[in-house]
Amino acid sequence: MAINPYKLGRILQTFVSNTPDVQGAAMITPDGLTLAASLPVDMDDERVSAISAAMLSLGKRIGNELARGTIDRISVEGNHGLSILTSCGEDAVFLVLASKTAKPGLLKLEIKQTITQFNLFLS
């Protein structure tokens, strides 16, 4: 099945605009290609995708070396906010950029619901 970037983009736009404290999001292949993105205007989609793929690769290595198993989520917390990379199966990962005031529990729930929408769309 061919992926429709327009439909994926609509899901991302809805997620970003309806989720408190979310500043951007992207759906990315594990090798760093952007499937769809709704990022702040000062961020380059290709660069964000490449960095996300590097995060995923390093996360997998950490999971293996530390006997933590398959990585479901990678989170980076900085003084300006959060970057959360969540697995959507073998073919895609979901990157979310949120402000430091984001409520982690609510954000995880919204991410989970959006991934369910992605998986329905991709299946």
Side-chain angles (χ1 to χ4, degrees), residues 64-114:
N64 288 336
E65 292 296 323
L66 300 179
R68 299 297 96 190
T70 302
I71 301 299
D72 293 322
R73 182 179 308 110
I74 299 168
S75 179
V76 177
E77 297 181 36
N79 61 342
H80 295 291
L82 307 166
S83 301
I84 302 169
L85 194 63
T86 307
S87 174
C88 294
E90 292 184 18
D91 298 326
V93 290
F94 183 37
L95 172 69
V96 175
L97 305 174
S99 70
K100 64 181 181 177
T101 58
K103 294 178 175 43
L106 178 61
L107 190 55
K108 285 180 186 178
L109 176 64
E110 294 290 342
I111 289 170
K112 186 176 182 178
Q113 291 173 343
T114 302

Side-chain angles (χ1 to χ4, degrees), residues 9-26 37-40 94-97 107 110 114:
R10 298 272 320 240
I11 294 170
L12 284 178
Q13 289 280 1
T14 300
F15 172 78
V16 171
S17 62
N18 292 343
T19 308
D21 300 312
V22 168
Q23 300 164 324
S38 179
L39 297 169
F94 183 37
L95 172 69
V96 175
L97 305 174
L107 190 55
E110 294 290 342
T114 302

